[in-house]
């Protein structure tokens, strides 16, 4: 680890340093040592709970992987993204918070920024796909029935390709990853928008394709679902019992998906607002002590989903012990 530590006195002149950090050590913590220790303990707890929760979901899913519904496959992919954030990213920031500086140099900073953006983008696009699946299943019953397992796997390939493309774009010279203002974490270089027109184009592209557009699709889908549910009681009553039971299950899956999206957006919106303000507003007007709070809140998003799976009885066999037997008995009763 010590070999990877950044030494400001020996840093190469060829290393990229964001314009807002050129007059100081970019990896030195701007927080008090006590604040760093508190943040380190907080992330440790979040990381452990997220790893155990999402690992449990994936493990239980693996026991019945051939019987997973398309919606469940997408939910498992979301758990994979959350687990990736916890396992790949959080140890870097935890060690750095306890060390009172970023310990892994520029290479580690870029890797950490890439991993965080890759899994975060993957999570949001997965939730976008889930919202569209819910929209088709609830609002277009006759069309939703054609969505099969192989469609879900095709969708997964598109999601991973999409996340890989946007997370790797900064390495192509049109963007970069840089330390956060408080020094002990790294993210997309939002401050490029303050430096050049090309930086503004990069930041705006990231905001649109990786935040605004997916969020708009999610909001549209669930607004249409809510409106449909209010008027669908009589329509569903005309179908036979099997279709009514299937519709009830789809509604439970939809509630889970809505809560997952709400939790994710509530965790990430404050960070997005601060990032946009840093890009196009006056970044110095945000006190560094407060800028760390949205970052820590965003990092907690990976912990929520396993809790949501357990709170709502959505008949996910991958979300509770004995689910396989429950699934079998449900089929027999039908």
């Amino acid at each position: 680890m010590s070999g990877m530590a950044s030494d400001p006195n020996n840093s190469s002149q060829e290393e990229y340093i964001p314009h807002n950090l050129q007059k100081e050590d970019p990896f030195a913590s701007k927080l008090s040592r006590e604040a760093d220790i508190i943040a380190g303990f907080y992330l440790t707890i979040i990381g452990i709970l997220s790893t155990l929760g999402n690992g449990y979901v994936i493990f239980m899913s693996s026991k019945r992987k051939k019987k997973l519904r398309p919606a469940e496959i997408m939910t498992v992919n979301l758990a994979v993204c959350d687990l990736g954030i916890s396992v790949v990213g959080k140890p870097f920031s935890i060690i750095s918070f306890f060390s009172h500086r970023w310990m892994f140099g520029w290479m580690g900073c870029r890797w950490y920024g890439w991993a965080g953006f890759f899994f975060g983008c993957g999570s949001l696009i997965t939730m976008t796909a889930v919202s569209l699946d819910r929209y088709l299943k609830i609002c277009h019953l006759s069309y939703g029935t054609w969505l099969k397992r192989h469609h879900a796997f095709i969708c997964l390939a598109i999601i991973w390709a999409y996340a890989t493309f946007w997370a790797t774009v900064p390495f192509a010279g049109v963007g970069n990853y840089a330390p956060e203002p408080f020094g002990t974490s790294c993210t997309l270089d939002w401050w490029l928008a303050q430096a050049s027109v090309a930086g503004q184009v990069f930041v705006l592209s990231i905001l649109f394709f990786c935040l605004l557009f997916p969020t708009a699709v999610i909001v549209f889908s669930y607004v249409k679902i809510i409106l449909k549910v209010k008027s669908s009681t009589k329509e569903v009553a005309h179908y036979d019992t099997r279709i009514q039971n299937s519709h009830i299950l789809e509604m439970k899956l939809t509630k889970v998906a809505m809560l997952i999206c709400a939790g994710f957006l509530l965790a990430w919106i404050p960070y997005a607002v601060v990032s946009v303000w840093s890009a196009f507003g006056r970044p110095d007007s945000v006190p560094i002590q407060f800028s760390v709070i949205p970052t820590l809140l965003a990092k907690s998003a990976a912990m929520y989903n396993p809790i949501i799976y357990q709170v709502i009885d959505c008949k996910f066999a991958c979300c509770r012990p004995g689910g396989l037997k429950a699934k079998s008995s449900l089929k027999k009763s039908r």
Side-chain angles (χ1 to χ4, degrees):
M1 183 188 305
S2 59
M4 299 179 66
S6 172
D7 184 353
N9 297 322
N10 298 324
S11 61
S12 170
Q13 295 298 322
E14 296 180 359
E15 287 286 11
Y16 165 77
I17 299 179
H19 75 282
N20 60 311
L21 297 175
Q22 290 178 355
K23 296 181 180 179
E24 56 191 29
D25 179 5
F27 296 134
S29 175
K30 311 306 186 299
L31 305 174
S32 66
R33 187 169 293 275
E34 293 76 15
D36 275 335
I37 292 175
I38 292 174
F41 275 115
Y42 170 81
L43 287 182
T44 300
I45 294 172
I46 294 296
I48 292 173
L49 293 177
S50 175
T51 301
L52 293 177
N54 289 292
Y56 174 73
V57 171
I58 295 171
F59 172 73
M60 295 303 294
S61 300
S62 66
K63 291 186 173 183
R64 53 184 296 272
K65 56 186 177 182
K66 293 183 179 180
K67 298 181 179 181
L68 292 176
R69 298 158 57 89
E72 292 174 309
I73 293 173
M74 303 305 294
T75 303
V76 172
N77 189 64
L78 186 58
V80 171
C81 292
D82 291 341
L83 183 64
I85 292 175
S86 302
V87 174
V88 176
K90 282 188 173 60
F92 286 80
S93 54
I94 290 172
I95 292 172
S96 297
F97 273 116
F98 282 127
S99 301
H100 197 49
R101 69 174 289 112
W102 179 257
M103 297 296 294
F104 303 96
W106 282 104
M107 186 68 70
C109 181
R110 292 180 178 122
W111 160 251
Y112 177 87
W114 180 91
F117 185 43
F118 172 73
F119 288 114
C121 182
S123 294
L124 183 56
I125 303 305
T126 299
M127 286 185 284
T128 304
V130 170
S131 69
L132 287 174
D133 173 74
R134 297 296 88 211
Y135 170 71
L136 290 173
K137 290 288 181 66
I138 302 302
C139 298
H140 302 281
L141 295 178
S142 58
Y143 295 98
T145 55
W146 67 268
L147 292 171
K148 305 299 181 182
R149 281 170 56 93
H150 67 276
H151 295 120
F153 288 116
I154 293 173
C155 188
L156 290 185
I158 296 173
I159 290 170
W160 288 110
Y162 193 91
T164 300
F165 173 79
W166 285 108
T168 309
V169 160
F171 294 131
V174 296
N176 215 317
Y177 294 100
E180 299 267 17
F182 50 86
T184 46
S185 181
C186 294
T187 184
L188 281 168
D189 188 358
W190 302 104
W191 303 272
L192 279 172
Q194 298 276 348
S196 66
V197 174
Q200 293 177 2
V201 173
F202 164 72
V203 171
L204 287 174
S205 299
I206 291 292
L207 286 173
F208 179 79
F209 289 105
C210 300
L211 179 63
L212 297 180
F213 178 69
T215 301
V217 173
I218 290 171
V219 172
F220 167 82
S221 298
Y222 290 125
V223 167
K224 295 292 287 186
I225 288 171
I226 292 172
L227 295 176
K228 180 67 176 179
V229 168
K230 289 183 178 180
S231 60
S232 66
T233 304
K234 294 182 179 179
E235 179 181 340
V236 175
H238 293 297
Y239 292 100
D240 60 32
T241 303
R242 182 179 62 84
I243 295 180
Q244 289 182 22
N245 291 338
S246 178
H247 184 71
I248 292 173
L249 176 57
E250 297 297 345
M251 287 307 304
K252 289 183 177 180
L253 296 175
T254 301
K255 290 178 182 179
V256 173
M258 291 179 70
L259 284 177
I260 288 172
C261 292
F264 183 90
L265 293 176
L266 288 175
W268 278 96
I269 283 177
Y271 179 79
V273 170
V274 172
S275 298
V276 171
W277 185 252
S278 298
F280 299 102
R282 296 191 305 127
D284 295 337
S285 65
V286 180
I288 291 179
Q289 291 77 8
F290 290 102
S291 69
V292 70
I293 296 176
T295 301
L296 295 178
L297 180 61
K299 293 180 186 297
S300 69
M303 180 188 67
Y304 302 150
N305 297 340
I307 298 175
I308 294 173
Y309 303 151
Q310 296 292 342
V311 169
I312 292 189
D313 177 20
C314 60
K315 301 186 188 301
F316 274 14
C318 62
C319 299
R320 64 184 183 191
L324 186 58
K325 295 181 180 179
K327 190 80 171 182
S328 177
S329 63
L330 178 61
K331 287 185 177 180
K332 290 181 180 178
S333 66
R334 289 180 178 178

